[in-house]
Amino acid sequence: MILFPSLYVLAAYINMFSASQSSKAQFLDKARQAREERRELKERERAAIQVQALIRRFLCRCRLQREIRREVDDFFGANESGSSKRSALSIFRIARKLLFVFNRKEDKERFEKVCRCILNSMDVENEPKVWYVSLALSKDLTLLWIKQIKDILWFCCEFLKQLKPDILQDSRLVNLHLTMLVTFTDTSTWKILRGKGETLRPAMNHICANIMGHLNQKGFYSVLQILLTNGLARSRPSLSKGSLTAIFSLALRPVVAAQFSDNLLRSFLIHIMSVPAIMTHLATLTPERLAVIESHELFRKFILFLSREAQCRDVCVCLEGSHTLCLLGNLVYLGSLNDKVLEEETAHFVGVLIHMLSYCQKYVSQKKSNLTHWHPVLGWFSQTVDYGLNESMPLLTKQLQHLWGVHMIRILFSDVLSKKLLENQELAQLPTQPVSPQNSLPMKNLFKRAFQKSASVRNILKPVGGKRVDSAEVQKVCSICVLYQTMLTTLTQIRLQILTGLTYLDDLLPKLWAFICELGPQGGLKLFLECLNNDTEESKRLLAMLMLFCDCSRHLITILDDIEVYEEQISFKLEELVTISSFLNSFVFKMIWDGIVENARGETLELFHSVHGWLMVLYERDCRRRFASEDHWLRKDLKPSVLFQELDKDKKRAQLLLQYIPHVIPHKNRVLLFRNMVTKEKEKLGLVETSSASPHVTHITIRRSRMLEDGYEQLRQLSQNAMKGVIRVKFVNDLGVDEAGIDQDGVFKEFLEEIIKKVFDPALNLFKTTSGDERLYPSPTSYIHENYLQLFEFVGKMLGKAVYEGIVVDVPFASFFLSQLLGHHHSVFYSSVDELPSLDSEFYKNLTSIKRYDGDISDLGLTLSYDEDVMGQLVCHELVPGGKTIPVTNENKISYIHLMAHFRMHTQIKSQTAALISGFRSIIKPEWIRMFSAPELQRLISGDNAEIDLEDLKKHTVYYGGFHGSHRVIIWLWDILANDFSPEERAMFLKFVTSCSRPPLLGFAYLKPPFSIRCVEVSDDQDTGDTLGSVLRGFFTIRKKEPGGRLPTSSTCFNLLKLPNYSKKSILREKLRYAISMNTGFELS
């Protein structure tokens, strides 16, 4: 209880303390607010003063600028109205004032007036006080004057960057600013230095060097590059001769002054030499500048500077792709003008170009993507492309063309071209035989001519070896080949131009081949096969030489026609082609068989395709018209049995061999392989009779009077597998009665033969015959038939079915059409002109005469069009859009020839051919027939063109009706065929019985149904087949009556000869000869 009062007192004290604390906080807060307000007020006052000062300063500056500009305007106004000359000091002062307030947009015209005034002062005679440059001699003003002229000249540079030389007004200003730069960066025009002033020249030169150094530091070369690009990177230059001379003189001054230091050579190369085609423009507009370049030996200095790999890479990286190519073009052009330097610095020149092209090549792409840009020379390019340079690309291409021009090729390949290839003048004068479009030149004569020449024409055709590959000569030639090979893979859009240029000299390629033959200890094949296994730089260079030789030779042979290859023998003699093809064949075989191609990438794969491409061009040319023996292409060290075993095991090398060079396998073995492929597919599809299952059979009924229509309607709807399967045919005669006979493939064979005979009959106008040898190809006017494309597809299926079943049909196709059936026309090496003789030899001769026409071809009045009589109406076909208005000239006549050949053989029948190929490939897989050449495919379709092997036929003949091998009539028959009939009559006999004049490719063992002979007693309409009595009578040669009046007949569907039991050999010979000549046969027994 005593504590309570104390608590009350304590509480009172606490309340008093809290109240005093609260009032103190309020007081402090008010004081802080007051301070803030005073500070804000001061800030506002200070800001107001600062704003007022800024405004006053701005207004003062504007007023001052107006006064200065007014003063400058008054100065130049007075100068224009009066004739008095202004002193250099007054110009200096007024210029100084203008520079003080200078604004590029506002003072542009005033600056121009200052420049003109300065230049005018420099032109005054004998008045030192007027010359603007005289101020440089003033002790007080020298430094100020130097600073002023530096500023003025840099402002000139700034203006030059923005001016467009193609605009008239701008071109005048370009001249003004360039004149200022030319005048004050060199003392040669300064009048103050004449006479006694000559002693001042070293000091003045020093001032000029100082000025030029200042401009260089600011980016003087970049300014000149922009100006040159604006004026020259176009189809027609907009810079005048004077402007270009001034710019190039300005560009050269620092380089010469610095005694061609690396730093300034680098700047000159990057900024000046990379301007598109600048050297060409100099040669056109101001050739004396090129003389200056030559006098300073700049080309040699450029090449030596760039020959250091690090410096070359640095320049390329700075320029990137497009401008690197421009630099390369200018260097090539300079090289074409400096033979002496080029000869002395060949190694460095070639090395520099390889480095630059290799840099560009890293970014050359094979296809379009989000990361690539289109370049007119490089193709798809994975670096930024300056599209502003596109207009100058034709000029750049012309510069690059010097590289594959005759002049530079002679210099670069001097070591190769200096070789002497012995020529025999007497043989050269021998008369040549007329050209035949097909393989009509007798092999005997061809080889006789070839071997007559081989002994004396050229003595270094075969690999002889003896030349060290590490010798300087070989290394030099290899480097040059690497250069051209790099060009081919980098400059993708002008690749054909390069190849054409390299093949222009007739003796380059044969001499390069001779050079290749001399390499290594043994020469030729062994050396290059060793290179494939050595991943050294030397091996790569040797392989590049081989690759270049193959690419160029392939291009040459592709563009030469048969007359040039076989008769004129341009570049290569025929025996050389034999030697080269043997080398290529072995090389490609080894690459595949040794497993190199399986894992090949990059350069090795490119080499393979190059060598293989050249090989196949030669092989296809030989298939069309022989220059080598038939067994030339075979590999005797390759056993077919080994190859077939590896194919069964799916070995990669065997598959690649079959894909790329099937011709090394004997033809008979390839046909066997083809038949095996067909058999395997039949087994896989269940189309072969087995003990456990029978194949599905498709039955069709055909009216003889409407065989084609019924066959088309019933078979075109069948599935692909059904078409490949068993098809049974029942014929209905004109009376609607089913014909006698059970189809065990025989009736279907007759149906197939009859269908093929009808559709390929030229009278139907689905197919047409060539002029001369009358071979078949789709008719260009076949479109008159309704559903003609479906008809062609049906024909393709029927032809494919015949090949699939091994039924030979006597349908001779034109060679060019067989090439299309094989897909050769899609090859980049395919030439329509080469195939044209197989269509129309006369038309081919007329076209090639245009190629050889020496005069002005435009005098003939030809256009890029083809006029054709189509069913009585003259139709004009344009070979290119607007072709009938484009005249044929000496420049485009080669294109005209190729366009015309392509139109006649492809464009006119494109849809028909495509439809037939589609039908054919639905039965026969494309990869099955790719192992055959065009003549071999014809043999696959129509049988062997070799003479009939009677012993083989006799061995595989089946006898019926009492006949047997020892029967006298049969003995007479074989004797007549062997000794009395000519080869032509034997072929007629075979056609009489089997409907085809050619034997099966693999012999008569593969003839289905087998060849058979039956003894008959009665006429065909009474013949009901063999009976016991007829067989016995035939066997014992008992005749019911003398059959002397009856003729032999045949049932081609069964390959059956129905032979009466003649009493005399002479009667048999007479009747048989008459029957086959009248072609009585084709009856169904």
Side-chain angles (χ1 to χ4, degrees):
M1 294 299 292
I2 298 171
L3 291 172
F4 282 120
S6 300
L7 289 173
Y8 281 120
V9 172
L10 181 60
Y13 276 116
I14 289 171
N15 288 335
M16 284 175 60
F17 181 76
S18 297
S20 64
Q21 286 290 339
S22 174
S23 61
K24 184 179 178 181
Q26 289 175 358
F27 173 77
L28 291 174
D29 189 49
K30 285 179 182 179
R32 184 178 57 76
Q33 289 178 1
R35 281 197 307 273
E36 289 289 334
E37 287 173 3
R38 287 194 300 273
R39 187 167 64 251
E40 286 178 11
L41 183 61
K42 284 180 180 179
E43 282 291 329
R44 282 198 295 272
E45 288 175 355
R46 190 174 62 79
I49 292 167
Q50 193 172 2
V51 168
Q52 289 172 4
L54 285 170
I55 291 171
R56 283 196 297 271
R57 185 168 66 184
F58 173 74
L59 292 173
C60 181
R61 192 164 62 246
C62 288
R63 185 167 59 250
L64 178 62
Q65 287 174 351
R66 282 197 300 273
E67 289 174 1
I68 289 173
R69 288 191 173 102
R70 191 181 303 115
E71 187 178 345
V72 172
D73 292 341
D74 291 343
F75 177 85
F76 289 116
N79 195 31
E80 289 171 6
S81 60
S83 58
S84 61
K85 296 166 185 170
R86 298 290 180 182
S87 68
L89 188 59
S90 63
I91 297 171
F92 171 78
R93 286 173 178 164
I94 206 70
R96 193 178 183 196
K97 289 181 178 179
L98 180 62
L99 292 175
F100 179 68
V101 298
F102 185 71
N103 179 282
R104 198 175 298 164
K105 288 184 180 178
E106 198 171 340
D107 297 316
K108 183 180 174 184
E109 290 184 10
R110 294 184 182 90
F111 184 77
E112 292 164 17
K113 289 177 181 178
V114 167
C115 291
R116 286 196 176 90
C117 190
I118 291 172
L119 291 174
N120 289 337
S121 76
M122 295 294 288
D123 289 335
V124 176
E125 294 289 340
N126 302 320
E127 293 192 37
K129 290 186 178 180
V130 176
W131 296 331
Y132 176 71
V133 78
S134 64
L135 298 176
L137 302 176
S138 170
K139 190 179 293 184
D140 299 330
L141 298 175
T142 300
L143 294 177
L144 292 174
W145 180 85
I146 291 173
K147 183 182 183 309
Q148 185 179 93
I149 195 63
K150 284 180 179 178
D151 291 342
I152 289 173
L153 292 182
W154 182 246
F155 282 132
C156 287
C157 292
E158 292 285 348
F159 280 116
L160 284 172
K161 282 199 288 188
Q162 298 173 347
L163 294 172
K164 304 293 181 188
D166 53 332
I167 301 172
L168 181 61
Q169 183 61 34
D170 279 13
S171 68
R172 290 172 181 165
L173 295 177
V174 166
N175 289 335
L176 172 66
H177 297 311
L178 285 175
T179 307
M180 281 292 293
L181 288 164
V182 169
T183 302
F184 292 101
T185 54
D186 185 76
T187 61
S188 58
T189 60
W190 294 3
K191 293 174 182 174
I192 197 170
L193 300 180
R194 292 177 185 172
K196 294 179 181 179
E198 188 65 36
T199 56
L200 301 171
R201 190 173 295 278
M204 292 301 187
N205 283 340
H206 185 72
I207 290 174
C208 284
N210 184 287
I211 293 168
M212 186 56 81
H214 171 76
L215 294 176
N216 279 337
Q217 287 179 352
K218 298 274 282 183
F220 181 57
Y221 274 117
S222 296
V223 172
L224 295 183
Q225 182 183 17
I226 292 168
L227 182 60
L228 285 168
T229 304
N230 287 339
L232 301 179
R234 52 187 64 244
S235 52
R236 293 183 62 184
S238 56
L239 286 174
S240 64
K241 175 181 178 179
S243 298
L244 187 56
T245 304
I247 296 168
F248 201 76
S249 298
L250 286 168
L252 212 52
R253 279 176 183 174
V255 182
V256 176
Q259 298 182 337
F260 309 99
S261 68
D262 283 357
N263 191 34
L264 282 164
L265 276 176
R266 176 183 179 276
S267 295
F268 193 89
L269 285 166
I270 290 173
H271 297 291
I272 307 303
M273 290 298 290
S274 67
V275 173
I278 185 172
M279 293 297 117
T280 302
H281 291 301
L282 284 176
T284 306
L285 295 174
T286 172
E288 53 274 7
R289 291 298 97 193
L290 288 179
V292 173
I293 291 174
E294 192 171 348
S295 67
H296 289 300
E297 284 208 326
L298 270 182
F299 175 61
R300 189 193 300 273
K301 291 179 172 66
F302 291 152
I303 293 303
L304 292 176
F305 173 83
L306 291 168
S307 64
R308 284 167 277 178
E309 190 175 339
Q311 293 179 169
C312 187
R313 190 187 309 113
D314 170 49
V315 169
C316 291
V317 169
C318 288
L319 289 174
E320 294 190 333
S322 295
H323 289 279
T324 299
L325 201 61
C326 294
L327 170 59
L328 189 144
N330 286 316
L331 289 175
V332 168
Y333 188 79
L334 272 183
S336 69
L337 302 176
N338 292 270
D339 291 358
K340 182 173 178 292
V341 177
L342 192 60
E343 289 168 6
E344 293 171 359
E345 303 292 347
T346 298
H348 287 134
F349 176 72
V350 169
V352 166
L353 296 194
I354 290 172
H355 281 308
M356 295 174 76
L357 286 167
S358 299
Y359 174 79
C360 293
Q361 190 185 48
K362 288 190 297 184
Y363 301 98
V364 172
S365 179
Q366 298 300 316
K367 58 185 179 180
K368 180 181 180 181
S369 72
N370 295 332
L371 301 175
T372 57
H373 308 270
W374 177 253
H375 192 283
V377 175
L378 300 167
W380 291 112
F381 197 66
S382 57
Q383 264 194 339
T384 53
V385 173
D386 186 348
Y387 292 105
L389 302 181
N390 280 8
E391 277 189 64
S392 59
M393 283 301 119
L395 282 174
L396 170 61
T397 305
K398 282 187 177 179
Q399 285 187 321
L400 294 172
Q401 282 170 355
H402 288 285
L403 259 180
W404 51 89
V406 172
H407 181 69
M408 198 168 283
I409 284 176
R410 287 196 184 280
I411 293 173
L412 296 180
F413 281 106
S414 57
D415 291 342
V416 173
L417 292 169
S418 62
K419 288 189 172 298
K420 297 291 182 186
L421 297 181
L422 299 181
E423 297 289 345
N424 187 306
Q425 298 300 323
E426 293 179 7
L427 283 172
Q429 293 170 4
L430 283 175
T432 55
Q433 295 183 3
V435 180
S436 171
Q438 295 297 92
N439 296 348
S440 58
L441 186 65
M443 284 300 296
K444 190 185 292 183
N445 292 345
L446 187 62
F447 283 119
K448 186 178 179 182
R449 286 175 54 206
F451 293 132
Q452 276 178 340
K453 291 185 177 184
S454 64
S456 54
V457 175
R458 293 185 180 165
N459 64 344
I460 43 175
L461 288 176
K462 296 181 180 179
V464 291
K467 187 167 293 206
R468 289 180 61 88
V469 294
D470 57 353
S471 66
E473 180 192 7
V474 174
Q475 292 301 309
K476 178 184 174 185
V477 174
C478 284
S479 294
I480 293 163
C481 291
V482 170
L483 167 63
Y484 284 105
Q485 196 56 44
T486 310
M487 284 165 52
L488 288 172
T489 52
T490 306
L491 312 179
T492 59
Q493 300 310 297
I494 52 175
R495 178 184 169 87
L496 289 180
Q497 284 188 39
I498 301 169
L499 289 170
T500 304
L502 289 168
T503 55
Y504 186 80
L505 285 175
D506 288 344
D507 58 343
L508 175 61
L509 291 175
K511 286 180 177 180
L512 186 58
W513 169 243
F515 189 85
I516 289 171
C517 287
E518 291 181 318
L519 297 177
Q522 297 173 329
L525 184 65
K526 187 177 179 183
L527 171 70
F528 289 103
L529 288 173
E530 287 173 357
C531 288
L532 285 171
N533 298 314
N534 297 329
D535 192 23
T536 63
E537 199 61 38
E538 186 180 83
S539 296
K540 288 179 181 178
R541 290 153 73 88
L542 284 166
L543 292 172
M545 176 163 56
L546 176 62
M547 194 169 170
L548 181 73
F549 171 73
C550 291
D551 286 343
C552 293
S553 302
R554 178 184 63 208
H555 178 75
L556 175 67
I557 294 297
T558 302
I559 61 178
L560 293 179
D561 57 45
D562 282 356
I563 295 172
E564 292 165 326
V565 172
Y566 291 91
E567 305 305 320
E568 297 173 3
Q569 296 188 30
I570 289 176
S571 282
F572 293 109
K573 307 300 180 188
L574 290 178
E575 66 273 13
E576 286 176 351
L577 295 181
V578 172
T579 306
I580 292 168
S581 58
S582 177
F583 168 86
L584 299 173
N585 209 35
S586 299
F587 188 80
V588 172
F589 173 75
K590 288 287 187 183
M591 282 192 78
I592 294 174
W593 205 245
D594 293 350
I596 296 170
V597 176
E598 288 180 43
N599 307 309
R601 298 285 184 277
E603 293 173 352
T604 306
L605 194 59
E606 287 176 15
L607 171 70
F608 172 76
H609 287 308
S610 178
V611 178
H612 175 259
W614 174 210
L615 170 67
M616 295 315 294
V617 165
L618 286 175
Y619 174 69
E620 286 165 18
R621 177 80 74 162
D622 183 63
C623 289
R624 198 167 59 250
R625 182 176 172 184
R626 289 274 180 206
F627 63 77
S629 59
E630 285 194 30
D631 62 348
H632 170 74
W633 303 97
L634 302 178
R635 290 291 305 182
K636 294 182 176 62
D637 55 342
L638 174 66
K639 293 182 178 178
S641 57
V642 174
L643 177 69
F644 293 168
Q645 286 171 12
E646 295 208 0
L647 284 171
D648 288 339
K649 295 174 184 176
D650 290 331
K651 289 287 185 71
K652 187 68 175 176
R653 69 175 186 174
Q655 293 170 345
L656 289 171
L657 192 79
L658 203 61
Q659 178 184 348
Y660 286 109
I661 48 170
H663 59 255
V664 301
I665 310 164
H667 178 243
K668 184 177 180 180
N669 294 103
R670 277 180 281 144
V671 177
L672 273 171
L673 186 60
F674 171 77
R675 297 303 338 159
N676 288 342
M677 288 174 174
V678 172
T679 303
K680 282 181 181 178
E681 188 185 78
K682 283 184 173 182
E683 290 171 354
K684 185 179 178 182
L685 297 175
L687 303 177
V688 180
E689 185 90 36
T690 63
S691 56
S692 58
S694 297
H696 172 74
V697 178
T698 302
H699 294 276
I700 59 172
T701 302
I702 303 295
R703 291 171 290 178
R704 278 202 179 270
S705 59
R706 293 181 58 82
M707 192 179 293
L708 178 59
E709 293 84 347
D710 288 356
Y712 170 70
E713 285 300 326
Q714 294 188 54
L715 292 179
R716 74 186 184 93
Q717 302 294 343
L718 291 183
S719 68
Q720 185 173 311
N721 288 349
M723 275 297 297
K724 291 180 179 182
V726 180
I727 300 173
R728 298 284 184 225
V729 178
K730 179 175 282 296
F731 279 120
V732 176
N733 65 17
D734 293 342
L735 300 174
V737 179
D738 291 353
E739 292 186 3
I742 300 170
D743 186 4
Q744 290 297 330
D745 296 330
V747 180
F748 177 74
K749 177 176 180 285
E750 183 196 4
F751 162 72
L752 192 63
E753 289 167 348
E754 288 295 316
I755 284 282
I756 285 175
K757 189 161 66 172
K758 285 179 184 293
V759 295
F760 287 107
D761 184 354
L764 186 63
N765 196 37
L766 274 179
F767 287 82
K768 200 174 177 181
T769 56
T770 60
S771 61
D773 53 0
E774 295 191 341
R775 291 181 168 268
L776 293 161
Y777 70 99
S779 170
T781 55
S782 54
Y783 57 80
I784 61 172
H785 290 280
E786 187 180 357
N787 300 327
Y788 72 104
L789 292 181
Q790 287 89 333
L791 269 172
F792 272 104
E793 188 176 0
F794 171 70
V795 171
K797 288 180 178 179
M798 291 293 98
L799 190 63
K801 179 68 173 173
V803 174
Y804 194 77
E805 300 297 345
I807 299 170
V808 290
V809 288
D810 205 355
V811 183
F813 287 113
S815 175
F816 80 89
F817 179 69
L818 289 166
S819 294
Q820 294 184 42
L821 204 56
L822 289 167
H824 290 172
H825 60 298
H826 294 305
S827 167
V828 292
F829 313 122
Y830 180 80
S831 171
S832 300
V833 178
D834 290 343
E835 295 274 20
L836 188 58
S838 68
L839 171 66
D840 190 335
S841 57
E842 197 61 38
F843 186 69
Y844 170 75
K845 286 178 183 175
N846 293 338
L847 273 185
T848 51
S849 67
I850 291 173
K851 181 179 179 179
R852 291 169 173 75
Y853 188 74
D854 293 330
D856 186 356
I857 202 75
S858 58
D859 295 340
L860 301 181
L862 298 170
T863 60
L864 295 182
S865 60
Y866 172 62
D867 294 329
E868 183 185 25
D869 184 1
V870 180
M871 295 180 284
Q873 289 189 339
L874 192 66
V875 177
C876 177
H877 304 282
E878 291 189 329
L879 303 179
V880 295
K884 61 184 176 184
T885 61
I886 302 174
V888 177
T889 63
N890 288 345
E891 287 71 34
N892 66 8
K893 67 180 180 181
I894 300 299
S895 295
Y896 169 74
I897 291 167
H898 282 271
L899 286 168
M900 185 68 86
H902 185 78
F903 176 80
R904 286 290 306 275
M905 294 191 297
H906 298 274
T907 309
Q908 270 194 314
I909 56 172
K910 184 178 180 181
S911 55
Q912 294 95 320
T913 303
L916 187 143
I917 289 173
S918 172
F920 185 78
R921 288 183 178 174
S922 68
I923 308 295
I924 303 294
K925 292 180 180 179
E927 56 268 26
W928 290 352
I929 58 170
R930 281 199 192 114
M931 53 183 167
F932 301 108
S933 64
E936 288 170 341
L937 179 60
Q938 181 67 67
R939 289 164 68 187
L940 193 67
I941 294 168
S942 300
D944 207 336
N945 52 9
E947 220 174 281
I948 297 167
D949 186 346
L950 287 175
E951 288 301 317
D952 183 47
L953 179 59
K954 189 190 300 186
K955 183 180 176 183
H956 297 98
T957 299
V958 181
Y959 301 102
Y960 298 104
F963 278 161
H964 49 85
S966 301
H967 197 288
R968 68 176 186 178
V969 175
I970 298 302
I971 293 172
W972 291 342
L973 173 68
W974 293 123
D975 187 58
I976 290 167
L977 288 172
N979 301 314
D980 296 344
F981 276 20
S982 66
E984 290 75 20
E985 286 176 316
R986 285 194 286 272
M988 290 166 64
F989 169 77
L990 191 61
K991 186 178 178 72
F992 174 74
V993 183
T994 68
S995 80
C996 186
S997 59
R998 296 178 177 184
L1001 277 177
L1002 299 175
F1004 289 100
Y1006 286 84
L1007 183 66
K1008 293 181 181 178
F1011 187 85
S1012 51
I1013 304 173
R1014 186 157 70 87
C1015 178
V1016 292
E1017 298 178 322
V1018 293
S1019 60
D1020 282 338
D1021 55 348
Q1022 297 173 325
D1023 187 11
T1024 56
D1026 289 345
T1027 63
L1028 179 61
S1030 68
V1031 170
L1032 288 172
R1033 283 192 295 273
F1035 188 82
F1036 292 108
T1037 321
I1038 303 169
R1039 290 183 295 277
K1040 295 170 70 176
K1041 60 179 181 178
E1042 176 59 48
R1046 293 193 55 233
L1047 291 172
T1049 57
S1050 66
S1051 291
T1052 57
C1053 55
F1054 292 109
N1055 298 324
L1056 171 66
L1057 172 66
K1058 293 186 277 189
L1059 200 62
N1061 195 348
Y1062 293 112
S1063 59
K1064 292 182 181 178
K1065 180 180 178 182
S1066 58
I1067 297 173
L1068 170 61
R1069 180 171 54 244
E1070 177 193 341
K1071 298 296 182 183
L1072 185 61
R1073 184 170 273 151
Y1074 182 79
I1076 65 172
S1077 62
M1078 298 302 291
N1079 200 21
T1080 57
F1082 305 104
E1083 292 88 5
L1084 178 65
S1085 185

